[in-house]
Amino acid sequence: MQTSAPDTHTDLRDALRALCAQFPPEYHRKFGENETYPEEFVDALTREGWLAAMIPEEYGGSGLGLTEASIIMEEVNRCGGNAGHCHGQMYNMGTLLRHGSDAQKQKYLPSIASGELRLQSMAVTEPTTGTDTTKLKTTAVKKGDRYEINGQKVWISRIQHSDLMILLARTTPLNEVKKKSQGLSIFMVDLKEAIGNGMEVRPIANMPGHETNEVFFDNLEIPAENLIGTEGRGFYHILDGLNAERTLIAAECIGDGYWFVDKARAYAGDRVVFDRPIGQNQGVQFPIARSYVNIEAANLMRFEACRRFDAGLDCGAQANMAKLLASEASWEAANACIQTHGGFGFAREYDVERKFREARLYQVAPISTNLILSYVGEHILGMPRSF
């Protein structure tokens, strides 16, 4: 299948496709059905250095940019996998890299690069505040050489398959700060030490079979040295990583979109009804073609967001628009694909229903489509704030 964007990363793609080919559709299907975690697949990605792509070479990583990282995530999904099992390390690591102390980087990054430690989890969202992050209620109170954490988080993914977690908590009460975005701080949580010692994890069963959890903190104590960056500046620190997160999610959606289009066009060419391939009918062909057009457009915005990020330029607008365009294009392709397959689209052996469920998530997470439109309206078009 041809793409309009020139590809200068064919070696990277070929290497990833060779690895992914070792894990056929039935492998990923098994974990989708059982809602379990593909340890062997994630270990293989780690062992070959793909999940350390954005860690600098001095810490044992590859020193690549967001462009290359996005291609890695795209290819995992394009080959039939689900990068949601492991994408957290890509963008969570950036918070540590940009705002951590030299001692913290030396302590964690080499072990993350080697696979000895996994940093797959970030705890921001809360059940009563959702995306109104500055109103979060989890507190971190300084007591000598430690912080005491109390509160609750929800939709916190991959905790059960991670060693470390980045936590955003309020260190200064909301009524004591001039701006509501102030007074929040970031911490590194050692999950093995925390769980059962003030931190409780409750899994949430969910539609895409994604490992995600509700988390409760009850006087959890963590060392003061686990504070990342400046106390009270955590909201601003974490914003840096959100542009990377949204761009990587866009890349995953693009990978899904290409997978759906490939699957649909192949089936439409092979399936014969009324003595002709169903793909010969415009009612079948055109929705697949339109999906492809929109995926290609989203792909261009994804690479523009990557280009700006890697050049050190502001990419908030591009990252948000890429995520919106890609998530909508992949969902459109998912619907075209399942419609093309008819009843067989609902049969697990075709994998369409699994990928369909996975693709739907990104209309909502990690930021909803409406909030992106609000961002564009206010911050790009200069319209009045809508909330």
Side-chain angles (χ1 to χ4, degrees), residues 184-203:
L184 296 166
S185 302
I186 298 175
F187 301 90
M188 183 70 78
V189 178
D190 184 321
L191 291 171
K192 287 183 173 59
E193 291 183 1
I195 295 174
N197 294 298
M199 177 176 169
E200 180 187 356
V201 178
R202 297 180 188 172

Side-chain angles (χ1 to χ4, degrees), residues 234-302:
F235 181 77
Y236 305 102
H237 294 341
I238 218 158
L239 280 180
D240 294 342
L242 295 182
N243 288 332
E245 177 193 43
R246 288 164 192 177
T247 305
L248 291 173
I249 295 295
E252 293 173 34
C253 291
I254 287 162
D256 278 336
Y258 285 133
W259 186 92
F260 285 121
V261 167
D262 278 340
K263 196 84 170 174
R265 69 174 183 142
Y267 187 83
D270 292 339
R271 176 68 165 159
V272 174
V273 179
F274 300 119
D275 302 319
R276 56 193 257 160
I278 62 172
Q280 189 174 341
N281 301 305
Q282 291 180 350
V284 174
Q285 185 182 120
F286 284 7
I288 300 171
R290 182 175 290 278
S291 298
Y292 176 74
V293 169
N294 290 335
I295 293 161
E296 285 284 276
N299 202 22
L300 295 173
M301 183 59 77
R302 177 268 290 251

